[in-house]
């Protein structure tokens, strides 16, 4: 096991897949010579040349649309959206095109594209460098959506996404890039799309989440252990398709569930997880389903008190978990 | 379009088209026209729900198709391109299966509206209804082909209304920057449903190419040989690494937008009639007759043959089974590692 940062794990997945398969290439704004505004693609142009680590015009719909065209031809493009906030001009290409290509052609054509986009706040990015757009794409059949929280999953899920025969949206949390390090398996491995992961076993409450907030959940769980509260934590890892069976099992275990995400509450992924739990095991619950999410405001303001108010943290998470345990 | 500049040589011959090919072009145009007219009738008779017509645009579509390499180029047609898809190998039977939304339809297995073409076999890239999304795809196909060192072009069509969409501009710019082998072919039929060209575009569409660093050429879309010449030159530029070309073929949409449209609410009969007189199809027939390649007897034989083919295709499409209802759930994602997964290289 090597210890690496979240951003290095993402980069090493791309590098290994580009070495393995000549049809894999990266395109996006500033991904080539500069190596990305976050350095996610640093070194790829040096190793693979200008074509396979391609700087594109500032033009998100073309980045997605060109990648889709290349994927239909037989390439395996990784299209980078510089910030997920700037992904919306490409939404028509993603929802009307990538998601429907296999279906509308009755399996004649396919679109094995990966679209990577940094999500989330806590970096003083203001309204337009902090958003979580998962809910915009969630619920669009034909797309797969993944959102890793730690380096091992970041690498393993990206490798799976690149190898997947269908379009995958890969949401990487920008606050995790350099803040989060962890062990990553050596050699060729992949984390299967569609499989969640139990991060922690517990008896009193179940917490279900994805991406950055799981770090808060894990620390809160450790602290609550001192108070005699035992938390079971499930990382969804893949948002679409949801790992329904694992969600049901995780909730059954304790009968109390808290769903946590940074994306705002209304219409978020948590709403679907809650509905699923209600459908499957309402009468096995010992408490109402709880959600801890970003507030329903258009996006995160840049001033520190507002950003702090918007973002989840260990304290907020611990409070919500304790309240549920004591219900 | 007159027979020739010189007494010995015909115009199509000068352009590199054999007599046989020149006649085939006409047959494709008539085939598309006959299909289109049949679909209008089927809709009026209540046999089908909807038809979107390409009448008046066949000359340009066929002229362009014949200028391409139909054994290897990639095609991204838009919804009026019956003349185009018939020229690159789609059959009347296949189109009728799409019209009746039957399981055997190669375009979409009866999932999409008619006119939404797609066939991997024919390298017709699957299309959708939000207009102009196919333009960046064409750039992507060309980029991929260039990366693989294939000498092919991607050819993409769209209407003049569509050329106002961001995807047109983003796709052109991308292709211009990377000098990709793409031919952008605008079928300017003067109307975006009801909105005339002067309410769509203040300048000229072909002029837009200048902003993207490649040539923009306006051509008479009613003259299939002129379209052929222009597209052939665009293809030569593309495969020789000189980059994309924008071709604006000017024509007129003789039919209403679709069978759901009453066009006389926004244009006059006189205007339509005036343009019907400039229809490229009879003009090209006259040219072939002038060359001694066509006559009234051959015309009648062709029309009869097309009627029979259409009768057969219509009956086949009508009788063919619909997809099973539960097949609605299929092919959201790959169902195995092999199926349509594009896993292997073209080589």
């Amino acid at each position: 096991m090597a210890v690496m940062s979240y951003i290095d794990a993402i980069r090493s997945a791309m590098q290994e897949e580009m070495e393995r398969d000549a049809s894999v290439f990266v395109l996006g704004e500033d991904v080539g010579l500069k190596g990305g505004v976050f350095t996610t693609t640093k070194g790829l142009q040096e190793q693979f040349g200008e074509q396979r680590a391609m700087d594109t015009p500032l033009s998100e719909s073309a980045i997605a649309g060109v990648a889709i065209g290349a994927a239909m031809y037989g390439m395996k493009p990784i299209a980078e959206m510089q910030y997920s906030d700037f992904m919306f001009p490409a939404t028509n290409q993603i929802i009307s095109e990538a998601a429907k290509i296999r279906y509308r052609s009755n399996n004649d054509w396919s679109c094995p594209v990966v679209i990577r986009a940094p999500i989330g706040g806590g970096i003083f990015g203001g309204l337009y460098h902090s958003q979580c757009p998962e809910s915009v794409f969630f619920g669009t059949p034909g797309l797969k959506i993944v959102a890793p929280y730690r380096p091992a999953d970041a690498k393993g899920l990206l490798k799976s996404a690149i190898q997947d025969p269908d379009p995958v949206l890969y949401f990487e949390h920008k606050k995790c890039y350099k803040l989060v390090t962890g062990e990553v398996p050596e050699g060729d491995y992949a984390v299967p799309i569609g499989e969640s992961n139990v991060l922690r076993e517990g008896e009193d409450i179940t917490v279900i989440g994805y991406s950055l907030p799981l770090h808060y959940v894990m620390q809160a769980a450790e602290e609550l252990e001192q108070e005699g509260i035992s938390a079971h934590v499930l990382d969804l890892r893949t948002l679409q398709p949801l790992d329904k069976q694992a969600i049901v099992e995780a909730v059954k275990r304790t009968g109390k569930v808290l769903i946590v995400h940074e994306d705002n509450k209304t219409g978020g992924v948590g709403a679907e997880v809650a509905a699923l739990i209600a459908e499957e095991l309402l009468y096995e619950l010992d408490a109402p389903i709880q959600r801890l999410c970003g507030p329903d405001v258009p996006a995160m303001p840049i001033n520190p008190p507002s950003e702090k108010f918007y973002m989840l943290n260990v304290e907020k998470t611990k409070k919500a978990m304790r309240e549920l345990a004591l219900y | 379009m007159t027979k020739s500049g010189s007494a010995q040589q015909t115009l199509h011959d000068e352009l590199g088209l054999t007599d046989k090919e020149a006649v085939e072009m006409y047959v494709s145009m008539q085939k598309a026209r006959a299909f289109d007219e049949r679909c209008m009738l089927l809709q009026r008779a209540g046999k089908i729900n909807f038809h979107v017509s390409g009448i008046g645009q066949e000359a340009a579509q066929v002229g362009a198709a014949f200028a391409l390499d139909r054994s290897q180029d990639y095609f991204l047609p838009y919804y009026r391109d019956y003349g185009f898809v018939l020229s690159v190998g789609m059959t009347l039977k296949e189109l009728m299966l799409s019209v009746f939304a039957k399981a055997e339809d190669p375009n979409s297995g009866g999932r999409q509206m008619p006119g939404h073409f797609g066939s991997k076999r024919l390298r017709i890239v699957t299309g959708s209804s939000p207009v102009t999304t196919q333009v960046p795809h064409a750039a992507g196909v060309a980029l991929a082909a260039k990366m693989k060192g294939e000498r092919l072009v991607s050819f993409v069509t769209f209407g003049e209304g569509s050329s106002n969409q961001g995807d047109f501009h983003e796709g052109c710019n991308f292709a211009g920057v990377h000098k990709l082998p793409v031919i952008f072919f605008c079928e300017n039929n003067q109307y975006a449903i009801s909105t005339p060209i002067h309410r769509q575009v203040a300048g000229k569409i072909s002029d837009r190419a200048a902003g993207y660093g490649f040539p923009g050429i306006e051509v008479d879309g009613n003259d299939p040989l002129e379209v052929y010449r222009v597209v052939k030159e665009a293809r030569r530029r593309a495969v020789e690494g000189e980059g994309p070309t924008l071709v604006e073929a000017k024509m007129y949409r003789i039919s209403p937008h679709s069978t759901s449209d009453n066009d006389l609410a926004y244009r006059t009969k006189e205007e339509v009639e005036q343009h019907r007189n400039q229809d490229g199809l009879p003009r090209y027939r006259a040219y072939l007759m002038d060359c001694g390649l066509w006559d009234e007897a051959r015309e009648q034989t062709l029309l009869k043959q097309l009627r029979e083919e259409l009768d057969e295709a219509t009956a086949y499409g009508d009788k063919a089974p619909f997809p099973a209802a539960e097949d609605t759930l299929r092919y959201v994602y790959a169902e195995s590692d092999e199926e349509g997964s594009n896993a292997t290289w073209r080589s």
Side-chain angles (χ1 to χ4, degrees):
Chain A
M1 288 267 196
V3 172
M4 63 171 76
S5 66
Y6 186 92
I7 195 167
D8 288 344
I10 294 169
R11 188 185 312 111
S12 84
M14 289 190 279
Q15 187 187 13
E16 285 179 22
E17 290 303 299
M18 288 170 81
E19 283 170 354
R20 195 183 59 78
D21 182 349
S23 63
V24 179
F25 72 104
V26 183
L27 71 166
E29 293 154 14
D30 309 301
V31 304
L33 194 58
K34 183 175 164 67
V37 292
F38 296 104
T39 70
T40 321
T41 53
K42 195 170 168 37
L44 296 181
Q45 191 174 81
E46 278 165 43
Q47 187 178 350
F48 299 102
E50 281 184 30
Q51 275 204 326
R52 293 185 65 200
M54 176 181 271
D55 284 318
T56 65
L58 206 168
S59 190
E60 282 80 9
S61 189
I63 294 169
V66 166
I68 289 165
M72 288 196 279
Y73 184 85
M75 302 292 282
K76 294 272 199 177
I78 306 168
E80 179 180 301
M81 299 286 139
Q82 196 161 75
Y83 284 79
S84 65
D85 310 67
F86 309 142
M87 194 170 177
F88 300 122
T91 307
N92 191 36
Q93 283 291 343
I94 296 167
I95 292 180
S96 301
E97 302 298 318
K100 294 174 176 62
I101 280 166
R102 184 185 297 282
Y103 190 78
R104 78 182 185 214
S105 67
N106 202 31
N107 209 35
D108 195 25
W109 291 90
S110 63
C111 184
V113 69
V114 177
I115 297 175
R116 285 182 34 241
I119 62 168
I123 53 127
F124 300 113
L127 272 73
Y128 299 104
H129 295 75
S130 305
Q131 292 175 75
C132 288
E134 303 90 89
S135 63
V136 173
F137 301 96
F138 181 70
T140 298
L143 297 178
K144 297 180 182 179
I145 307 174
V146 299
Y149 107 103
R150 63 177 183 187
D153 295 324
K155 183 170 179 183
L157 280 170
L158 186 49
K159 287 174 77 88
S160 288
I162 294 166
Q163 292 168 23
D164 199 275
D166 288 299
V168 181
L169 305 187
Y170 181 94
F171 289 127
E172 52 201 59
H173 202 296
K174 63 180 85 75
K175 196 176 168 75
C176 291
Y177 277 151
K178 290 177 182 164
L179 200 66
V180 174
T181 55
E183 289 193 332
V184 172
E186 307 277 358
D188 197 25
Y189 83 105
V191 173
I193 292 174
E195 283 185 20
S196 60
N197 185 33
V198 176
L199 297 181
R200 193 179 198 284
E201 303 216 342
E203 307 304 325
D204 299 323
I205 59 167
T206 297
V207 184
I208 299 176
Y210 61 90
S211 197
L212 174 75
L214 285 170
H215 291 285
Y216 310 139
V217 170
M218 289 300 281
Q219 199 185 324
E222 206 171 298
E223 292 176 19
L224 286 169
E225 193 79 62
Q226 311 301 316
E227 300 178 18
I229 295 170
S230 161
H232 189 78
V233 180
L234 184 72
D235 177 8
L236 291 172
R237 295 199 291 196
T238 294
L239 308 184
Q240 192 163 287
L242 280 171
D243 188 351
K244 291 182 185 176
Q245 196 187 336
I247 292 169
V248 168
E249 279 167 18
V251 177
K252 265 188 181 165
R253 175 120 182 192
T254 68
K256 290 180 174 181
V257 61
L258 170 69
I259 303 158
V260 180
H261 57 64
E262 185 179 321
D263 196 359
N264 64 297
K265 187 173 189 174
T266 301
V269 172
E272 182 60 29
V273 174
L276 178 78
I277 295 165
E279 280 175 343
E280 298 287 329
L281 33 100
L282 188 62
Y283 295 109
E284 294 178 52
L285 294 177
D286 299 321
I289 300 167
Q290 297 296 302
R291 282 183 286 165
L292 178 67
C293 309
D296 285 326
V297 297
M300 193 179 305
I302 197 169
N303 70 81
S306 283
E307 189 184 84
K308 194 174 173 197
F309 179 87
Y310 189 109
M311 288 293 286
L312 301 180
N313 57 32
V314 177
E315 282 314 306
K316 290 180 191 177
T317 313
K318 197 158 83 174
K319 182 167 174 284
M321 288 164 71
R322 188 191 291 118
E323 280 172 7
L324 180 61
L326 297 176
Y327 182 88
Chain B
M1 190 170 34
T2 52
K3 184 181 162 187
S4 171
S6 70
Q8 282 76 34
Q9 217 180 7
T10 57
L11 187 55
H12 63 268
D13 189 34
E14 282 170 23
L15 295 173
L17 281 163
T18 64
D19 288 352
K20 186 165 172 278
E21 287 167 331
V23 170
E24 277 170 11
M25 279 174 60
Y26 179 68
V27 170
S28 287
M29 288 163 62
Q30 270 294 23
K31 190 185 275 190
R33 178 70 54 97
F35 168 78
D36 216 312
E37 288 170 349
R38 177 64 63 97
C39 288
M40 302 270 224
L41 286 175
L42 289 170
Q43 195 275 338
R44 280 185 204 132
K47 293 290 280 181
I48 59 173
N49 291 319
F50 180 77
H51 176 64
V52 61
S53 167
I55 289 180
Q57 305 184 202
E58 303 93 333
Q61 293 167 0
V62 172
F66 274 70
L68 299 169
D69 182 338
R70 288 175 285 161
S71 67
Q72 61 160 348
D73 290 343
Y74 274 64
F75 314 119
L76 298 96
Y78 90 124
Y79 55 87
R80 298 192 195 279
D81 276 330
Y82 305 111
F84 185 86
V85 297
L86 286 166
S87 298
V88 301
M90 195 161 284
T91 65
L92 288 174
K93 189 171 114 177
E94 288 172 329
L95 286 179
M96 278 301 177
L97 284 162
S98 157
V99 163
F100 285 96
K102 296 304 175 69
E104 208 189 322
D105 159 34
N107 295 281
S108 76
R111 288 179 167 184
Q112 293 221 71
M113 279 180 139
H116 291 56
F117 308 110
S119 167
K120 202 168 206 178
R121 170 179 62 94
L122 300 172
R123 295 168 319 288
I124 298 173
V125 178
T126 173
S128 65
S129 306
V131 294
T132 334
T133 50
Q134 71 273 22
V135 170
H137 300 172
V141 166
L143 174 68
K146 191 178 173 187
M147 288 173 87
K148 285 299 294 168
E150 304 275 357
R151 274 176 72 86
L152 58 82
V153 309
S154 68
F155 174 85
V156 58
T157 73
F158 45 88
E160 79 287 353
S162 295
S163 75
N164 298 317
Q165 290 280 4
D167 271 356
F168 166 77
H169 298 275
E170 294 199 24
C172 283
N173 185 56
F174 194 103
V177 166
H178 291 281
K179 275 190 171 277
L180 298 177
V182 189
I183 301 170
F184 300 100
F185 190 77
C186 177
E187 298 185 28
N188 180 352
N189 67 11
Q190 314 297 319
Y191 281 94
I193 303 188
S194 68
T195 308
I197 181 75
H198 68 273
R199 294 269 179 240
Q200 287 284 343
V201 181
K204 274 174 62 176
I205 288 158
S206 55
D207 285 350
R208 291 176 170 184
Y212 304 117
F214 53 82
I217 310 213
E218 187 184 300
V219 61
D220 177 3
N222 289 320
D223 184 342
L225 294 178
E226 190 55 10
V227 171
Y228 174 89
R229 186 184 67 77
V230 165
V231 173
K232 198 173 179 188
E233 168 59 13
R235 188 177 192 283
R236 185 203 60 74
R237 293 188 68 250
V239 293
E240 288 180 12
E242 293 172 29
T245 306
L246 170 63
V247 178
E248 177 188 3
K250 298 191 81 167
M251 55 188 70
Y252 187 83
R253 196 195 72 209
I254 293 173
S255 301
H257 162 66
S258 74
T259 48
S260 310
D261 176 38
N262 170 23
D263 62 323
L264 296 181
Y266 54 82
R267 62 181 185 181
T268 63
K269 230 175 200 161
E270 292 70 31
E271 180 190 311
V272 177
E273 284 313 310
Q274 186 199 330
H275 285 278
R276 202 187 292 278
N277 294 335
Q278 292 159 28
D279 183 3
L281 194 147
R283 269 173 68 186
Y284 187 58
R285 179 172 56 225
Y287 166 81
L288 290 179
M289 286 177 164
D290 198 25
C291 294
L293 295 172
W294 202 250
D295 56 32
E296 196 48 43
R298 276 180 252 201
E299 177 75 5
Q300 291 312 317
T301 308
L302 173 64
L303 292 179
K304 181 166 177 284
Q305 185 195 324
L306 288 175
R307 261 197 310 277
E308 286 165 7
E309 260 186 70
L310 275 165
D311 288 346
E312 199 181 314
T314 305
Y316 189 91
D318 193 13
K319 284 184 193 128
F322 283 113
E326 58 273 23
D327 284 353
T328 304
L329 298 174
R330 296 198 68 182
Y331 307 131
V332 179
Y333 302 103
E335 294 181 5
S336 78
D337 289 342
E338 278 76 42
E339 279 178 333
S341 65
N342 270 350
T344 51
W345 276 106
R346 266 173 48 90
S347 57

